[in-house]
Amino acid sequence: MPRGVVFTAQVPDRPGGAALAAVLAGRGAGFRVGGAGEVAAGEGCFETLTGGSLGGSRRVVRTQASWLASFAVNARLFGIGPGLRVAVPGRLSQSLALYAALEGLVLGAEVHLLDGLRPDRMAQALAQRRIGVIYATPVHLAQMVACGVALPDLRLVLVGGAKLEAGLRAELRAVAPAAVVREFYGAAEASFITLAGPEDGVETVGRVYPGVELRICDADGADLPEGAVGEVWVRSPYLFQSYAGEDAGSARWRDGWLTVGEIGALTPAGLVLRGRAGRMLTIAGQNVFPEEIERFLAGLPGVARAAVLARADALRGHVLWAVLMGEQAREREILVAARAGLGPMLAPRRVIWRQDWPVLGSGKTDFGTLRREVDAWR
C-alpha cells in the first residue's frame, strides 16, 4: 500500500492507484470512489456512480457480493486472472472503470490505469505494456484507434456504455487483428445484462449474460411475446440495492425485477434495443428514439461520432438536429443518405460539426454540453 494512504469511506478517484489501495485496505467496509456527499453504503456494500450521459450522475448503492459474483463468471468466460495485463482507460469514479479495475485485482491480473493520459499516450501504453485485455467505451476506443498505433498483443476488447458501430469495429480490427470484441449491455444499477460476441448480429446487444433473466413488458407490466417492443426488465444476482440518500432515481422495481427504462425486443437473434424511454420524443405523433438515428448516422461514410437532439417545432412537436464529428465536406452526401434511409420526418434538419467530442468521466457522450450547443443556435 502506498505510503500515506489511509482508508476512508469516501476516496478521491485520483491518483487511481492510491484509490484502489485505499478500497482494498478497507477490508469490506462501505466506500465510494469519487463523488460528493456522505457515503450511504454500510459494511459489505459500496457506492458507485451512474454514467450521467442524460444528466447528473446518481449514486448507486450495491453489495460487494453483487460484483464478486460476476468476477467469478468473467474469470471463466474471459480467462481473467494471474499473468494477464488488463487496461482501464476510464476514471474510477465511474462504474465501468471501477468494476474493471477491481475485477482485475481480485482475480490476480496486472491492472494498468490509463485515466488522465491523452489518447495517443493511452494507445502507446497499450502497445508498450503489451496489454492483453481492455475494458472501454466506444468513445475511448475511437480516440485511441485514431492514433494508428498497432496493438498486436491485444486479445480481448470488452466494450460497454454504448453500441460499437461497424466503422469503429473495422478500424479496431486493423490495429488489433488478434483481438476478440465482446460487447456487453448493462447499467450501473444492473451490471451485466447481455453479452455479444462475433457470432451475434450487429442489430442486437447479444444474449443474456450468465445468471440473468429478461422480460419484455407492456405499460401494465404484462409479458409481451417474442419480437414485440416494450420495456426491458431484468432479474439477476448482480442488481443494485438502491440509490443513495433521497434520490428517487430512474430505475423501477417490481416483484424482484428491475427496469432502467430501456425499450427493446427479445428476438431469436438476441436483445434488440430501441433506446431509453427518457430520450424518446414525439414527431408528428410518432414515437422516435434518437439512439436509432444516431446508429444510422454513425454507420455512414464520413461520420466518426453522432448525436441527435430535438428542438421544439409548433407543427411536428419536434424536429431533429445532428451533432457530428468527421468529414464536414461530406455533409450534403450525409443528409441525402439520411433522408433516403430514414425518411424526411426523421432525417436531421440541421447539422452542427465538432472537431472534438465532449465526453464525461465515464467515457460516454456528454449530452449536456451538446444540448447547450444546439439550444444556443437561433
Side-chain angles (χ1 to χ4, degrees), residues 46-204:
F46 68 105
E47 291 181 16
T48 187
L49 304 179
T50 63
S53 57
L54 300 183
S57 292
R58 289 190 166 98
R59 292 160 48 203
V60 168
V61 179
R62 60 166 56 247
T63 66
Q64 295 176 27
S66 69
W67 272 12
L68 289 169
S70 56
F71 292 175
V73 173
N74 289 349
R76 184 180 74 252
L77 287 177
F78 308 133
I80 296 176
L84 190 65
R85 295 174 179 174
V86 178
V88 182
R91 193 164 180 170
L92 293 181
S93 55
Q94 299 300 326
S95 180
L96 174 59
L98 183 63
Y99 177 94
L102 288 176
E103 177 184 79
L105 292 176
V106 168
L107 297 179
E110 183 179 300
V111 175
H112 294 252
L113 303 178
L114 307 182
D115 172 43
L117 296 180
R118 297 190 324 233
D120 60 330
R121 298 285 177 83
M122 285 188 182
Q124 291 163 11
L126 294 180
Q128 294 167 0
R129 302 178 195 181
R130 305 185 68 178
I131 297 297
V133 176
I134 184 171
Y135 269 91
T137 66
V139 172
H140 284 137
L141 292 173
Q143 291 172 335
M144 287 184 279
V145 165
C147 301
V149 177
L151 304 171
D153 296 297
L154 194 60
R155 69 166 183 82
L156 178 63
V157 179
L158 294 164
V159 185
K163 186 70 176 167
L164 186 66
E165 301 301 338
L168 179 54
R169 185 184 293 271
E171 294 170 3
L172 180 60
R173 189 181 304 114
V175 299
V180 174
V181 177
R182 301 298 302 270
E183 293 183 78
F184 55 86
Y185 157 60
E189 297 92 337
S191 197
F192 294 97
I193 297 176
T194 63
L195 180 66
E199 71 282 0
D200 292 299
V202 295
E203 74 280 5
T204 80

Side-chain angles (χ1 to χ4, degrees), residues 177-325:
V180 174
V181 177
R182 301 298 302 270
E183 293 183 78
F184 55 86
Y185 157 60
E189 297 92 337
S191 197
F192 294 97
I193 297 176
T194 63
L195 180 66
E199 71 282 0
D200 292 299
V202 295
E203 74 280 5
T204 80
V205 291
R207 303 172 191 276
V208 291
Y209 182 83
V212 171
E213 299 174 79
L214 280 183
R215 299 167 60 190
I216 305 297
C217 299
D218 63 17
D220 297 322
D223 288 325
L224 293 172
E226 184 176 81
V229 174
E231 198 163 39
V232 179
W233 289 80
V234 58
R235 182 167 66 181
S236 82
Y238 321 119
L239 305 181
F240 83 132
Q241 287 190 323
S242 65
Y243 294 103
E246 298 181 359
D247 186 355
S250 57
R252 306 192 322 275
W253 291 92
R254 181 188 294 141
D255 300 326
W257 292 79
L258 176 75
T259 183
V260 293
E262 200 82 55
I263 306 298
L266 273 175
T267 74
L271 177 64
V272 176
L273 295 179
R274 297 285 306 278
R276 278 285 181 103
R279 289 194 69 196
M280 188 181 75
L281 50 96
T282 302
I283 298 179
Q286 177 180 335
N287 290 338
V288 176
F289 292 92
E291 294 94 330
E292 293 183 316
I293 301 171
E294 289 164 355
R295 288 192 287 268
F296 178 89
L297 293 173
L300 296 177
V303 178
R305 302 293 302 168
V308 172
L309 297 103
R311 286 181 60 122
D313 180 81
L315 180 61
R316 299 172 181 83
H318 295 93
V319 292
L320 300 178
W321 285 34
V323 183
L324 304 179
M325 186 176 78

